[in-house]
């Protein structure tokens, strides 16, 4: 047993406590006493050797069975072992014991856990809702700059012919009558897909144009993507993905998860419905029949009901960020329900214009073919 | 006056010991797990420090316990540094590659992908080095710590090229790259005033490695023959009558044989590997040994598997406990330590934790 003498008046009778220490310079262990005379320092005594250790220099290390190990701020290798149970007036001078880490120790486990839970839940709520209100408030010019930095001119893969460009512009005018900052292009890739890229650039893939049987079908798809741009869904999706990756960076430590998590951005179901609603409203304004769009989705839904606009061949590419759409059957019904019996619909494009759009990529000698490696 | 003789004889069967128990560890690990979840993962740095403090404190080397002096705060700072210095640039590079691909600059994108690939290897090597250095610098024994004055930048280069050379001749030089990297890494570390030295040779590993290397081929051939035999049984029984029984049965069997036999052979290789590299490691007048047999390794991993499955994942937090205990109980050392000569390490102490290591998810305990 270690002996402790506890005198009534520490100023006259010093406290003697059995102690052992390593001096931090060599591995030799020293045994002796710690003496406290009531002053601001402990005196370590080992035979004739004695030296002072100011309380302000002591830091708590850890508990070792019936002893506590203390460290010195001024000498990182120094270790002092004292009995766990000390006379109360000395214990009051020793540095506080710590276990979990400063904050949790101060608050206690239960209180700390509760505070952490509340803070985490509010942070999670903030991160999950922020994109929805923050996205539309980010200036379109910023988004355009981000978009240009990310995709540029798409490596010359947009098809251009004078007649085709004119037809596309006319069609865009039908679904974007206000003529806002939307750019549309036909992307030279043989996939049934369309996408809204950051910066208000809408792409209709040539593969989708070849599938279309009437200009009204294209108007539905184009209107949907323009809807994503107008409702600022692209920015919202980018922010949500960004926020999620920050939120998860605490929990996951692999770089893989963070890097590749960003490449899998999708819109919410609500965003998809809003984009469709936008398309139907603009088409109604421009007297474009929704039946074309309905039959397009029906035709595609008939082929196994798979998501039509999600290409299988370019997984992991940027187009997966922006193109993932709800089941076509549901969308077809919504378009059919939008048919107004009293309206007089006019063709969205003339036959000649529609043909120009169809042959746009074949007729453009300069366009680059799209393939990933 | 020192009551102890200034030197310690290290007898091989008592140099290292572990006297922790999982119930005490659970009192640390389970609240840690809860706080980690409640703080969205941020507490895990402090959790790691607490768990290591327990594991180190219950580990004995000769006549004194180890002590972990690392803190959660420095691990957290290390993580932030690694995120800023490594992860953000890697992430930016990845975005740049995607963007270049879309712009039609496939050749440049291809080169950058290669650079990214090399970068990941380089930083993996650097992270392993820094992780070991950090752990040694926070491990105290009798007040003395370890460390390294090397930054590990050169080791990152070695790790990259030796890994590639190891894979190049159909992977046959992998044992060489493993032992040579061990020698290089350990040889740059020190404890107190003394450097570690390692001279592991790959020749001793090669037989086991060939077993590991050739067995899949033997298995594929064997199982194919067996599958055809199974098909033959089907045919003999009249083909249509009992369809699939032979082939499906064989496939399921093949699956189990594959993982069971490969796991066994991998354990045999790693057991030999650790016996070789630890056995070839020296420090001052001490030599080390790692006595875990192939069966010990199999029991370790089988135990991990059962622990995690039986507790639906909650037991995962005990895996590090089991591995540390495995390490401490199988580690041996022989020789003599002169305590007077074992003076404090003069290596500089990195102010932050193993952030880089953490970011790449490499780590033992
Ligand atoms: Zn959409």
């Amino acid at each position: 047993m270690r002996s402790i003498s506890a005198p009534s008046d520490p100023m006259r009778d010093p406290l003697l406590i059995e102690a052992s220490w390593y001096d931090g310079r060599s591995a030799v262990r020293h045994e002796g006493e710690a003496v406290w005379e009531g002053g601001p320092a402990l005196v370590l005594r080992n035979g004739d050797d004695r030296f002072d250790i100011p309380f302000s220099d002591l830091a708590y290390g850890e508990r070792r069975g019936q002893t506590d190990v203390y460290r010195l701020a001024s000498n990182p290798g120094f270790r002092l072992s004292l009995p766990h149970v000390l006379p109360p007036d000395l214990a009051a001078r020793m540095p506080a014991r710590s276990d979990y880490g400063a904050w949790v120790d101060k608050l206690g486990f239960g209180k700390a856990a509760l505070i952490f839970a509340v803070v985490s839940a509010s942070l999670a709520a903030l991160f999950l809702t922020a994109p929805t209100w923050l996205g539309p408030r980010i200036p379109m010019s910023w988004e355009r700059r981000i978009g240009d930095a990310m995709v540029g001119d798409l490596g010359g893969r947009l098809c251009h012919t004078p007649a085709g460009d004119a037809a596309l512009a006319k069609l865009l005018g039908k679904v974007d009558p206000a003529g806002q900052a939307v750019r549309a292009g036909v992307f030279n890739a043989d996939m049934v897909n369309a996408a809204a890229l950051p910066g208000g650039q809408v792409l209709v893939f040539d593969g989708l144009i070849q599938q279309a049987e009437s200009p009204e079908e294209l108007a539905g798809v184009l209107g949907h993507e323009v809807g994503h741009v107008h409702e600022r869904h692209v920015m919202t999706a980018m922010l949500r993905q960004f926020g999620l990756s920050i939120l998860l960076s605490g929990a996951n430590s692999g770089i893989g998860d963070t890097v590749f998590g960003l490449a899998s951005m999708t819109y919410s179901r609500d965003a998809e419905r809003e984009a469709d609603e936008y398309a139907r409203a603009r088409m109604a304004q421009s007297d474009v029949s929704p039946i074309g769009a309905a039959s397009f989705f029906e035709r595609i839904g008939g082929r196994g009901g798979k998501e039509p606009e999600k290409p299988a061949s370019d997984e992991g590419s940027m187009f997966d960020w922006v193109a993932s759409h709800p089941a076509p059957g549901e969308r077809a019904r919504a378009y059919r329900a939008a048919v107004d019996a009293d309206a007089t619909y006019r063709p969205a494009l003339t036959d000649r214009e529609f043909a120009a759009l169809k042959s746009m990529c074949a007729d453009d000698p300069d366009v680059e073919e799209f393939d990933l490696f | 006056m020192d009551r102890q003789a200034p030197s310690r004889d290290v007898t091989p069967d008592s140099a290292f010991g572990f006297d922790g128990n999982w119930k005490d560890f659970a009192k640390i690990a389970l609240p840690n797990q809860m706080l980690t979840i409640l703080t969205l993962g941020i507490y895990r740095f402090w959790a790691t420090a607490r768990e290591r403090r327990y594991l180190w404190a219950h580990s004995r080397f000769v006549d004194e316990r180890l002590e972990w002096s690392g803190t959660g705060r420095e691990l957290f700072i290390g993580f932030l540094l690694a995120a800023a210095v490594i992860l953000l640039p890697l992430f930016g590079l990845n975005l740049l590659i995607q963007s270049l691909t879309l712009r039609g600059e496939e050749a440049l994108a291809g080169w950058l992908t290669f650079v990214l690939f090399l970068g990941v290897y380089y930083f993996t090597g650097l992270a392993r080095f820094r992780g070991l250095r950090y752990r040694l610098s926070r491990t105290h024994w009798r007040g003395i710590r370890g460390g390294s004055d090397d930054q590990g930048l050169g080791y990152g280069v070695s790790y990259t090229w030796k890994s590639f050379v190891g894979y190049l001749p159909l992977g046959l030089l992998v044992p060489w790259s493993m032992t040579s990297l061990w020698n290089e890494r350990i040889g740059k570390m020190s404890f107190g005033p003394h450097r570690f030295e390692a001279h592991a040779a790959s020749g001793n590993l090669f037989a086991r490695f060939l077993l590991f290397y050739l067995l899949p081929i033997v298995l594929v051939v064997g199982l194919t023959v067996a599958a055809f035999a199974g098909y033959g049984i089907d045919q003999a029984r009249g083909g249509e009558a009992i369809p699939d029984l032979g082939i499906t049965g064989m496939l399921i069997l093949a699956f189990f044989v594959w993982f069971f036999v490969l796991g066994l052979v991998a354990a045999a290789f790693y057991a030999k590997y650790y016996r070789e590299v630890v056995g070839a490691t020296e420090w001052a007048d001490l030599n080390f040994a790692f006595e875990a047999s192939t069966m010990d390794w199999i029991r370790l991993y089988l135990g991990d598997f059962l622990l995690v499955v039986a507790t639906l994942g909650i037991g995962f937090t005990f895996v590090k406990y089991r591995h540390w205990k495995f390490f401490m109980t199988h580690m041996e050392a022989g020789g003599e330590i002169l305590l007077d000569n074992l003076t404090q390490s003069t290596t500089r102490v990195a102010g932050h934790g193993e952030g880089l290591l953490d970011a790449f998810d490499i780590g033992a305990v």
Side-chain angles (χ1 to χ4, degrees):
Chain A
M1 272 301 287
R2 284 165 190 274
S3 61
I4 296 169
S5 62
S8 53
D9 185 354
M11 292 310 285
R12 267 174 302 157
D13 283 311
L15 273 175
L16 289 181
I17 295 159
E18 198 172 323
S20 69
W21 62 91
Y22 294 105
D23 61 14
R25 291 186 296 274
S26 86
V28 177
R29 179 184 162 104
H30 304 273
E31 298 200 359
E33 300 95 39
V35 185
W36 186 47
E37 291 163 329
L42 268 184
V43 180
L44 293 189
R45 218 165 53 184
N46 170 293
D48 294 335
D49 262 3
R50 48 179 295 152
F51 55 98
D52 284 7
I53 292 187
F55 287 113
S56 56
D57 198 18
L58 271 181
Y60 183 76
E62 61 189 10
R63 176 127 186 221
R64 284 279 167 92
Q66 290 313 303
T67 62
D68 281 307
V69 178
Y70 295 88
R71 303 174 187 177
L72 277 191
S74 60
N75 177 355
F78 187 93
R79 295 293 181 270
L80 170 65
S81 289
L82 292 177
H84 179 67
V85 181
L86 292 172
D89 33 350
L90 176 58
R93 298 297 296 266
M94 297 301 283
R97 295 179 176 123
S98 111
D99 186 12
Y100 289 96
W103 290 1
V104 186
D105 286 326
K106 252 174 238 159
L107 294 164
F109 178 79
K111 213 167 166 189
L114 193 70
I115 291 174
F116 285 147
V118 170
V119 170
S120 297
S122 8
L123 263 182
L126 183 71
F127 269 80
L128 290 177
T129 56
T132 329
W133 52 263
L134 193 61
R137 282 171 177 78
I138 286 176
M140 195 64 198
S141 59
W142 291 19
E143 192 189 315
R144 190 176 284 253
R145 220 169 294 156
I146 296 171
D148 287 346
M150 283 196 323
V151 292
D153 66 347
L154 294 147
R157 295 196 187 86
L158 293 184
C159 308
H160 290 290
T161 60
D165 287 344
L168 187 63
K170 183 178 173 187
L171 200 63
L172 183 64
K174 301 268 182 194
V175 292
D176 184 26
Q180 290 189 38
V182 178
R183 293 165 288 170
V186 175
F187 191 68
N188 188 25
D190 187 28
M191 305 163 193
V192 182
N193 197 359
L197 301 184
Q201 189 161 28
V202 167
L203 299 184
V204 182
F205 285 47
D206 189 44
L208 189 142
I209 293 188
Q210 300 311 321
Q211 280 276 325
E213 288 174 4
S214 74
E216 283 72 22
E217 299 186 2
L218 289 180
V221 171
L222 197 58
H224 173 90
E225 299 303 335
V226 172
H228 279 316
V229 173
H230 274 273
E231 307 283 344
R232 302 302 303 275
H233 293 154
V234 187
M235 201 66 219
T236 304
M238 283 203 297
L239 283 177
R240 189 187 316 114
Q241 198 62 42
F242 184 63
L244 219 58
S245 70
I246 290 179
L247 203 64
L248 292 179
S249 68
N252 85 55
S253 50
I255 43 162
D257 301 309
T258 318
V259 172
F260 297 111
L262 265 166
S264 60
M265 210 166 70
T266 53
Y267 298 130
S268 67
R269 290 228 145 203
D270 282 347
E272 295 301 349
R273 215 192 43 245
E274 271 174 39
D276 271 352
E277 279 163 8
Y278 176 92
R280 284 192 292 272
R282 297 291 91 69
M283 284 161 73
Q285 254 176 25
S286 311
D287 298 325
V288 175
S289 165
I291 291 179
S295 54
F296 177 74
F297 291 124
E298 276 159 5
R299 205 164 64 243
I300 280 162
R303 296 188 324 203
K306 275 198 169 177
E307 292 195 3
E309 297 184 19
K310 182 155 181 154
S313 52
D314 67 346
E315 266 201 325
S317 87
M318 265 184 177
F319 295 102
D320 270 354
W321 293 27
V322 282
S324 167
H325 291 88
E330 195 181 299
R331 303 175 75 187
R333 278 192 294 281
Y335 274 94
R336 247 189 224 293
V339 175
D340 181 354
D342 302 329
T344 42
Y345 292 120
R346 285 172 298 166
L349 293 178
T350 64
D351 287 349
R352 187 190 288 268
E353 285 165 336
F354 187 47
L357 210 49
K358 283 231 165 196
S359 62
M360 200 169 174
C361 286
D363 292 350
D364 184 348
D366 301 326
V367 73
E368 298 274 338
E369 191 68 47
F370 177 76
D371 56 336
L372 282 156
F373 298 105
Chain B
M1 125 214 108
D2 293 328
R3 280 182 235 161
Q4 287 171 317
S7 93
R8 288 286 173 279
D9 276 320
V10 180
T11 46
D13 45 55
S14 69
F16 288 92
F18 182 74
D19 66 355
N21 75 73
W22 70 269
K23 281 178 206 134
D24 287 339
F25 185 75
K27 285 177 203 150
I28 293 169
L30 294 177
N32 272 350
Q33 217 170 16
M34 186 172 163
L35 286 175
T36 302
I37 292 167
L38 289 179
T39 55
L40 301 170
I42 291 172
Y43 187 75
R44 74 192 159 93
F45 305 104
W46 284 265
T48 302
R50 287 188 72 212
E51 284 160 14
R52 284 189 191 162
R53 213 149 52 218
Y54 177 86
L55 295 176
W56 265 241
H58 287 86
S59 303
R60 176 188 54 79
F61 176 58
V62 194
D63 59 351
E64 181 61 284
R65 288 155 188 279
L66 302 183
E67 185 205 318
W68 177 257
S69 66
T71 64
R73 180 204 299 255
E74 68 193 9
L75 279 177
F76 181 55
I77 293 170
F79 169 77
L80 293 182
L81 276 178
V85 177
I86 315 293
L87 296 188
L88 280 183
L90 282 182
F91 172 64
L93 195 59
N94 194 55
L95 270 190
L96 183 67
I97 290 170
Q98 287 193 337
S99 144
L100 283 172
T101 311
L102 278 172
R103 285 158 188 257
E105 304 269 2
E106 280 95 349
L108 192 55
W111 273 109
L112 280 179
T113 307
F114 183 64
V115 169
L116 185 71
F117 184 65
L118 283 186
V120 167
Y121 257 91
Y122 178 80
F123 286 120
T124 306
L126 182 62
R128 289 209 168 152
F129 188 94
R130 292 276 176 104
L132 184 60
R133 185 179 73 155
Y134 169 71
R135 284 171 200 186
L136 273 169
S137 76
R138 297 302 188 270
T139 298
H140 285 250
W141 182 74
R142 293 176 155 263
I144 303 300
R145 64 173 176 83
S148 172
D149 273 324
D150 196 284
Q151 298 288 308
L153 301 175
Y155 182 78
V157 175
S158 293
Y159 182 83
T160 311
W161 78 259
K162 285 181 179 172
S163 298
F164 278 91
V165 168
Y167 290 127
L168 223 52
L170 299 170
L172 280 172
L173 285 180
V174 166
W176 166 81
S177 77
M178 286 172 78
T179 49
S180 128
L181 284 169
W182 171 279
N183 293 344
E184 187 175 343
R185 189 168 68 234
I186 296 296
K188 288 188 168 137
M189 301 293 158
S190 60
F191 197 88
H194 312 298
R195 278 283 267 264
F196 285 93
E197 261 176 71
H199 37 78
S202 60
N204 302 337
L205 297 180
F206 206 71
R208 294 264 176 127
F209 184 72
L210 269 188
L211 194 67
F212 185 45
Y213 185 86
L214 292 175
L215 200 80
I217 303 169
V218 176
L219 271 183
V220 166
V221 173
L223 290 169
T224 311
V225 170
F228 273 108
Y231 183 70
I233 293 168
D234 268 3
Q235 293 302 310
R237 280 181 183 166
E240 296 289 295
I242 322 165
D244 290 343
L245 193 123
I247 290 176
T248 315
M250 278 298 169
L251 277 180
I252 292 171
L253 191 69
F255 185 78
F256 277 104
V257 168
W258 181 266
F259 280 98
F260 183 71
V261 175
L262 271 193
L264 229 63
V265 177
F269 175 70
Y270 276 101
K272 181 79 184 166
Y273 170 74
Y274 278 103
R275 281 204 297 271
E276 170 64 28
V277 293
V278 176
T281 301
E282 292 173 9
W283 172 79
D285 294 325
L286 288 192
N287 42 59
F288 297 95
F290 196 71
E291 302 294 357
S293 68
T294 301
M295 268 320 287
D296 292 329
W297 282 91
I298 291 170
R299 268 198 294 272
L300 176 73
Y301 279 101
L302 218 57
D304 288 350
F305 176 75
L306 292 176
L307 177 70
V308 172
V309 169
T311 58
L312 301 171
I314 295 167
F316 184 74
T317 190
F318 292 100
V319 166
K320 49 199 155 193
Y321 173 88
R322 299 189 73 240
H323 285 207
W324 178 257
K325 186 179 174 185
F326 182 79
F327 171 69
M328 284 315 285
T329 48
H330 289 102
M331 237 354 235
E332 300 296 350
E336 198 183 23
I337 306 170
L338 289 167
L339 292 176
D340 281 319
N341 291 353
L342 181 48
T343 52
Q344 188 58 281
S345 174
T346 55
T347 55
R348 66 173 270 282
V349 181
H352 55 79
E354 57 207 287
L356 193 51
L357 192 78
D358 201 57
F360 284 81
D361 239 353
I362 310 156
V365 180

